[in-house]
Amino acid sequence: MTSRNGAREGRYVAYYIIVMMLFLGCVALCAMFVSKNFLRQNERDAVLLADFKHRQNAEALNDFLYRASFALESAAMIVDHLIASGEPVEKIQEFMALEMKRASKQTDSLSGNVFGVVNGEFVHDGDWLPGDEYMPLRRPWYKDAVRTHGRVVVGKPFTSTNSAKPVISFSKSLLDEKNVVAFTLPLASLSRFIASRKEKVGDIWMVMDRDGLVIASSGEIRQGFDCLSSEAWGMDEEKLAREILLAGEKPFEFVYHKDKYMVFSMAVQNGWNMVSLVKKSQVFGHSRVILVQVLVVFGSIFIVIVVLCTITLINRIRVVRSVRRKSDFLDSVAKELRTPLNGILGMTRILLRDARDESVHDYVKNVQVASIGLLSVVHEVQEIAKIESGEFVLNPVQYELYSVLKDCFDTVSPRATAKNLHFSLECDPDIPSSLWGDEDRIRQIIVNLLTNAILYTELGEVRLIVSYDVIPNQGEQRLDECINLKITVKDSGVGIRDENTDSILGLFQMMNEPKPAGTRFSLSLTKKLISMCGGEIIVKSRFGEGATYMVSIPQLVLNVEPMGDFATRYKNSSEKESLGSEMLFAPAARILAVDDAELNLKVIRGLLKETRVQIDTALNGSQCLDMVQVRHYDLILLDNMMPMMDGRETFERMKRLSVNLCKDTPVVIMIAGPVPVDKESYLSVGIADYIPKPLMEEDLLRALKWYLPKHLVLTREDLNMSPYEEMSAKNLEEETSALLATYDKVNGFYQVASSESEKKKKRELVGDLELDMVTPQSPNERLSVFEDVLDVKLGLENCINDEEFFREMLSEFLLDDKRKELERAYDSGEWMNYQILVHALRGTARTIGAEELSRDAKSIEMACKEGKIDYVRKRHVELIASYANVLRKIREGLNAK
């Protein structure tokens, strides 16, 4: 137990670490996502801002070039007018000098020489007189102007003949397209203009034409340098020029001389590009400072949250560990108490069956009652501990309300009779017959309330009243299929004082009322169970006049057909059970009982003594594994809770054995305490069934009847006994020994004689009349109406050859119509749910003998598993049609009964 506690605590610590790591990971991812988006947005904004400033610079350059072009066009218009007026060349030359001075005064940085060709003669502003070798008609500025037919042309940079400095020329042809006016602009003037806006220009700037020639620059890139020439191959300038031409006006990152820059480019006049290179640290510096501040604040908040969550989780883990230790302690105590108690109860049943002395019988009965009471307290303590530790969960299933009420009546009625109390059960006959809920918990709630009422009632009566209310609709939500199951228990016992009414349902409450030999301890568990089921309980009482417990639990209705009158159904079922009771013998059968308590093995031997079945025993899972490898057994009874290797692990290891003579042997698991809520998990791994402890003779006999091979089971008829005939132990021993001697081990059956004289011994008693039996129809003949769609023989075998049980299975198959669910899953494409539904249909169809429908369902189920949805779509309609036909035939056959 200590190691198990340590393992559980280790799991909780591991869960805590995993949760914290996941939490930290999620927070880190969120922080990264927020930071990344914040940084991306800020970087985008920073780039847009820098690009905006760069465009301002480019627009200023554009404006500068436009003013130069406009000044030239104005001068050209006046020169055209002077030429048309017949003014001499000297006059025109004088005008050009004055016009240049005026333009220089009006426009900063716009300075240079004005010149041109008028009527075939070279004219200028007077500041420069070229030599005889100067031929203006061959100069690029003249050729470009004539070629463009009146547009202003900006030439490539060249060295001025006058000043020996780099300049660019602006030229324009006049109206006759032979005369040209031009002026030169020193590149120094252009550079001064751009430099005057230095606070808005990047770390590096340049003006570059479309051919990669640097028109002007900040100095880092040489003015006049051709970035696309062979001289620049492999240099950063060549890579930069190509990136600029490819990117157009889109900003991009570039490493220039090992520094990272953002490059901004914008086209201006004359096919030039204004280019700025700004260091990334300068562009994004401010946004990153803001990001760091945000992350610091976010990190501080995160650390505070982590610290608080850690403290909270640590405290929670301490509480959980404390509850877990208490739960483990109670489990250990319950285990130690249950084992001897189960043994005592088993022995008392054997003594009650064999005792002939009436006084001994009474003594043993008292021991049995006390043991049952003590065992119920152990179960209740254990369940409360599980609820508090969070391990207790509900297990909702479909159940028949009559069956639950009948079990409660059968359980409590003997206790009331023992105290000479009048016990009655009143049930609304219109209450729906089939509900959805936790059947075991509903039964436990009712039994606990009735047991408490009987315990505190010495004279008078105890009444159980069962009714229901339809839950009204809530807005658009329809609750037509839900009811409030109302359970009322009234007693005429000692009652409860007014000051104790509110606290009567509390845990370990000590009341001031007279106490019989017992406590109201089960009421605390009952209240918890009711709360978990979503219900409520109200207690009303007058001290000395009895108490009333009113419970309301919501339940889902699966079959609206009324349950009918409980008393009538109970009387009919009791008579049927009494008529159908029979002895069971299996002298040729061999079973294996596995339990770590020797006392429980003795109980099994004692309870099955009269069946003459051969019983081998094992005290642990290891012995069981050894024994199934050397001998075949017809049935294995396996205890669930054993040291070292529990029942489920033993079963799973048994299935994996390479040598196993009991591969097909049914295994019935024995569960101590209340049936676990995960009981379906036992059946899902291949375990045939389970029976509760303390072991009851009827449970063991039922397991033998259902799971032993049919040819090994003998009945009264096989022993030539009527259903009501008693046989002495000596005669019984003689009969079974004789039959065992006739057992054919090769063919596996008893050679039982059948004669007319033996058949006459078989009688059927109805009321007080004894009638000779008329040879009835066989079950196969009576069920021939189903042969069109069912393999009746297979269906009967699956239903232990019980015709009535087979008909009940057919009725259940009708009620469990899955067509709507199949259609819904098919239409919505929920193939996993569709596969589960088809799997369930396959099993139920096989059980009732609908072999063809089962095969169709199996093929579609396998197609779903393999992802062959096209096959499913082709076969779906056929499956639904076949399903509908089977349902129709079954309905007609049952109605024909």
Side-chain angles (χ1 to χ4, degrees):
M1 181 61 70
T2 302
S3 60
R4 187 171 63 182
N5 284 338
R8 289 176 178 173
E9 290 182 4
R11 285 200 301 271
Y12 276 106
V13 173
Y15 295 155
Y16 167 74
I17 293 174
I18 292 173
V19 169
M20 288 304 300
M21 291 178 63
L22 291 175
F23 177 68
L24 291 175
C26 291
V27 172
L29 288 176
C30 291
M32 290 174 59
F33 176 78
V34 172
S35 301
K36 186 176 180 180
N37 282 274
F38 177 84
L39 184 59
R40 183 187 294 117
Q41 183 62 41
N42 276 269
E43 288 181 349
R44 188 182 298 115
D45 294 342
V47 170
L48 290 175
L49 179 61
D51 187 55
F52 175 73
K53 292 181 179 181
H54 172 74
R55 289 179 179 275
Q56 286 183 318
N57 296 331
E59 292 295 340
L61 177 59
N62 249 338
D63 184 62
F64 178 83
L65 297 175
Y66 172 77
R67 291 199 303 271
S69 299
F70 180 76
L72 181 62
E73 288 181 346
S74 299
M77 291 175 62
I78 297 174
V79 171
D80 269 327
H81 177 72
L82 292 175
I83 294 173
S85 301
E87 296 291 340
V89 173
E90 292 79 6
K91 183 73 173 179
I92 295 174
Q93 189 166 300
E94 182 183 351
F95 163 75
M96 295 174 69
L98 292 174
E99 182 64 21
M100 191 63 210
K101 291 179 181 180
R102 184 185 63 81
S104 298
K105 291 180 180 179
Q106 291 181 353
T107 305
D108 297 337
S109 302
L110 189 56
S111 61
N113 299 111
V114 179
F115 50 92
V117 175
V118 177
N119 296 330
E121 295 184 26
F122 179 71
V123 295
H124 55 85
D125 56 5
D127 290 342
W128 172 59
L129 182 63
D132 294 337
E133 73 281 1
Y134 186 76
M135 302 179 69
L137 297 182
R138 294 183 179 182
R139 303 297 292 179
W141 56 267
Y142 179 83
K143 292 180 179 180
D144 293 341
V146 172
R147 190 184 306 117
T148 56
H149 306 292
R151 288 189 293 108
V152 176
V153 179
V154 180
K156 289 184 177 296
F158 63 94
T159 302
S160 173
T161 306
N162 179 24
S163 62
K165 295 181 179 179
V167 296
I168 56 175
S169 64
F170 289 76
S171 60
K172 181 182 185 303
S173 63
L174 301 182
L175 292 177
D176 60 0
E177 297 187 355
K178 293 182 179 180
N179 298 321
V180 174
V181 177
F183 77 88
T184 57
L185 177 66
L187 291 180
S189 299
L190 181 62
S191 297
R192 283 196 304 271
F193 171 77
I194 298 175
S196 67
R197 305 175 62 83
K198 186 174 182 180
E199 70 280 3
K200 297 181 180 179
V201 181
D203 302 300
I204 302 174
W205 62 267
M206 66 178 176
V207 180
M208 185 182 71
D209 68 6
R210 63 172 62 92
D211 296 325
L213 182 64
V214 178
I215 307 298
S217 71
S218 58
E220 287 80 356
I221 302 176
R222 179 164 51 86
Q223 184 175 286
F225 182 72
D226 189 351
C227 296
L228 298 178
S229 65
S230 59
E231 180 187 354
W233 284 355
M235 298 175 61
D236 286 347
E237 287 77 2
E238 184 252 348
K239 297 177 183 178
L240 175 61
R242 295 189 184 279
E243 288 286 344
I244 291 171
L245 295 176
L246 290 173
E249 297 186 1
K250 184 178 179 182
F252 61 90
E253 296 183 16
F254 187 79
V255 178
Y256 182 72
H257 294 324
K258 299 182 180 180
D259 289 330
K260 294 182 178 180
Y261 291 89
M262 287 298 300
V263 181
F264 303 92
S265 175
M266 180 177 175
V268 295
Q269 292 185 37
N270 311 315
W272 294 354
N273 283 294
M274 177 65 187
V275 181
S276 296
L277 281 75
V278 186
K279 287 186 177 180
K280 288 188 67 175
S281 58
Q282 181 180 341
V283 175
F284 305 126
H286 182 66
S287 62
R288 289 177 177 173
V289 170
I290 297 176
L291 176 62
V292 170
Q293 294 174 347
V294 171
L295 289 178
V296 169
V297 174
F298 185 81
S300 301
I301 297 174
F302 167 73
I303 291 173
V304 172
I305 293 175
V306 168
V307 171
L308 292 177
C309 291
T310 302
I311 293 174
T312 302
L313 286 173
I314 289 175
N315 291 334
R316 176 59 182 164
I317 289 175
R318 288 174 179 172
V319 172
V320 170
R321 287 179 178 177
S322 176
V323 174
R324 171 64 64 183
R325 283 193 291 269
K326 181 179 72 173
S327 177
D328 288 345
F329 170 74
L330 291 176
D331 278 341
S332 177
V333 172
K335 167 69 175 176
E336 297 302 322
L337 289 176
R338 278 200 309 266
T339 300
L341 284 174
N342 289 334
I344 293 171
L345 286 171
M347 288 300 180
T348 57
R349 292 189 180 94
I350 297 173
L351 290 173
L352 288 174
R353 184 188 63 193
D354 297 341
R356 296 293 180 263
D357 187 279
E358 184 174 349
S359 60
V360 172
H361 188 279
D362 291 340
Y363 298 152
V364 175
K365 187 66 176 178
N366 291 335
V367 172
Q368 185 184 53
V369 171
S371 300
I372 291 174
L374 182 57
L375 189 60
S376 65
V377 172
V378 171
H379 290 166
E380 290 167 3
V381 171
Q382 186 181 19
E383 289 192 349
I384 289 177
K386 287 184 177 180
I387 292 174
E388 291 180 346
S389 64
E391 295 182 354
F392 191 94
V393 293
L394 298 176
N395 181 37
V397 295
Q398 179 180 355
Y399 69 93
E400 295 295 325
L401 181 59
Y402 167 77
S403 176
V404 173
L405 296 179
K406 180 179 179 298
D407 291 344
C408 296
F409 188 85
D410 290 340
T411 300
V412 177
S413 181
R415 303 179 187 179
T417 302
K419 295 185 68 174
N420 294 321
L421 299 176
H422 178 262
F423 174 49
S424 63
L425 192 156
E426 304 169 18
C427 182
D428 187 344
D430 296 328
I431 194 168
S433 59
S434 182
L435 304 177
W436 176 271
D438 193 324
E439 175 184 8
D440 295 332
R441 301 311 156 201
I442 298 296
R443 182 184 293 107
Q444 187 175 1
I445 290 169
I446 297 175
V447 170
N448 284 356
L449 292 175
L450 290 174
T451 301
N452 180 80
I454 293 173
L455 184 66
Y456 278 81
T457 303
E458 298 299 330
L459 296 173
E461 64 175 359
V462 174
R463 298 171 59 197
L464 171 62
I465 304 171
V466 182
S467 59
Y468 76 103
D469 284 336
V470 177
I471 299 178
N473 295 331
Q474 300 176 1
E476 297 181 356
Q477 184 180 8
R478 296 188 61 81
L479 301 174
D480 296 343
E481 298 181 349
C482 291
I483 64 169
N484 272 325
L485 181 63
K486 305 184 74 173
I487 303 165
T488 303
V489 175
K490 296 183 177 181
D491 65 62
S492 57
V494 296
I496 307 169
R497 299 182 188 273
D498 293 339
E499 62 270 20
N500 294 332
T501 302
D502 295 334
S503 58
I504 187 65
L505 301 176
L507 184 61
F508 303 120
Q509 294 294 328
M510 301 301 294
M511 304 304 164
N512 296 324
E513 302 126 18
K515 289 187 177 293
T519 67
R520 295 188 188 269
F521 180 75
S522 61
L523 292 182
S524 174
L525 173 61
T526 303
K527 181 182 179 181
K528 293 179 181 294
L529 293 177
I530 293 171
S531 298
M532 293 185 68
C533 293
E536 60 179 0
I537 180 172
I538 299 175
V539 181
K540 294 182 178 180
S541 177
R542 284 189 178 182
F543 186 66
E545 297 182 8
T548 301
Y549 302 87
M550 294 173 288
V551 177
S552 177
I553 301 175
Q555 298 284 276
L556 184 65
V557 178
L558 297 184
N559 186 0
V560 297
E561 182 180 351
M563 185 187 76
D565 183 65
F566 175 81
T568 302
R569 290 189 63 176
Y570 184 82
K571 181 179 179 181
N572 293 338
S573 64
S574 299
E575 292 176 353
K576 184 176 178 181
E577 289 175 2
S578 62
L579 287 173
S581 62
E582 63 177 8
M583 295 177 64
L584 185 149
F585 308 98
R590 182 177 292 275
I591 69 173
L592 174 63
V594 185
D595 199 304
D596 60 312
E598 182 68 35
L599 182 60
N600 289 336
L601 297 175
K602 292 181 178 179
V603 169
I604 295 174
R605 288 182 179 277
L607 293 177
L608 297 180
K609 177 181 178 182
E610 294 187 357
T611 66
R612 299 301 189 268
V613 66
Q614 303 175 61
I615 303 175
D616 290 346
T617 60
L619 289 172
N620 52 57
S622 298
Q623 290 184 13
C624 172
L625 296 178
D626 293 338
M627 297 175 73
V628 298
Q629 296 181 71
V630 297
R631 169 167 283 179
H632 170 75
Y633 293 98
D634 302 303
L635 178 64
I636 297 176
L637 301 177
L638 184 61
D639 185 29
N640 177 52
M641 188 178 296
M642 295 184 293
M644 305 301 292
M645 188 188 308
D646 62 20
R648 182 165 180 167
E649 183 180 357
T650 302
F651 174 79
E652 291 174 347
R653 291 193 181 186
M654 187 189 308
K655 291 300 181 183
R656 294 196 297 266
L657 290 174
S658 57
V659 179
N660 182 4
L661 301 181
C662 301
K663 285 186 176 180
D664 299 323
T665 299
V667 176
V668 176
I669 199 161
M670 299 179 290
I671 301 175
V675 176
V677 296
D678 60 342
K679 57 187 178 184
E680 293 301 327
S681 66
Y682 287 94
L683 304 182
S684 64
V685 298
I687 293 174
D689 205 345
Y690 56 87
I691 55 177
K693 286 185 176 182
L695 296 173
M696 306 287 288
E697 184 178 15
E698 52 268 28
D699 291 335
L700 291 172
L701 292 177
R702 183 172 62 252
L704 296 183
K705 180 179 179 181
W706 286 2
Y707 299 110
L708 282 180
K710 303 306 175 188
H711 61 274
L712 297 181
V713 179
L714 298 174
T715 61
R716 289 175 177 268
E717 185 179 23
D718 297 320
L719 297 175
N720 300 325
M721 295 173 61
S722 73
Y724 301 96
E725 181 181 353
E726 293 292 339
M727 180 177 284
S728 66
K730 179 179 179 181
N731 293 336
L732 181 60
E733 182 69 28
E734 293 174 354
E735 286 284 346
T736 54
S737 299
L739 278 171
L740 187 58
T742 67
Y743 180 68
D744 188 338
K745 294 184 178 180
V746 176
N747 297 313
F749 58 83
Y750 295 95
Q751 299 174 354
V752 181
S754 179
S755 62
E756 290 299 325
S757 60
E758 290 172 342
K759 290 181 180 179
K760 290 182 181 179
K761 294 182 180 180
K762 299 179 181 180
R763 305 291 182 183
E764 179 181 61
L765 299 180
V766 180
D768 296 326
L769 299 177
E770 181 176 346
L771 303 177
D772 289 337
M773 293 181 60
V774 179
T775 303
Q777 288 182 317
S778 67
N780 288 335
E781 293 173 342
R782 289 192 296 271
L783 299 172
S784 60
V785 67
F786 301 109
E787 288 180 348
D788 291 344
V789 292
L790 302 181
D791 183 341
V792 175
K793 183 178 179 181
L794 176 62
L796 278 172
E797 290 178 355
N798 293 336
C799 296
I800 59 175
N801 291 317
D802 188 332
E803 179 182 350
E804 182 175 355
F805 183 38
F806 179 61
R807 289 183 180 273
E808 290 179 3
M809 292 299 295
L810 294 179
S811 299
E812 287 294 329
F813 188 82
L814 280 180
L815 293 175
D816 190 25
D817 188 352
K818 302 181 184 299
R819 286 179 293 176
K820 289 184 179 179
E821 297 176 70
L822 284 167
E823 293 286 6
R824 189 182 305 113
Y826 178 86
D827 293 338
S828 60
E830 298 175 359
W831 301 117
M832 181 58 70
N833 290 338
Y834 187 90
Q835 177 185 335
I836 294 173
L837 292 170
V838 173
H839 174 77
L841 175 60
R842 166 193 170 188
T844 54
R846 170 72 178 174
T847 299
I848 65 171
E851 279 289 272
E852 184 176 352
L853 178 60
S854 180
R855 284 194 298 269
D856 293 343
K858 179 181 179 180
S859 64
I860 293 179
E861 178 192 357
M862 298 307 296
C864 286
K865 286 183 178 180
E866 297 170 3
K868 299 178 180 178
I869 305 303
D870 290 338
Y871 179 87
V872 177
R873 296 183 189 277
K874 292 179 182 178
R875 298 296 304 277
H876 172 74
V877 176
E878 298 178 13
L879 176 68
I880 295 299
S882 177
Y883 191 6
N885 182 52
V886 172
L887 292 173
R888 180 175 59 81
K889 290 290 187 178
I890 292 175
R891 187 177 293 106
E892 292 174 356
L894 292 176
N895 291 337
K897 178 182 176 181

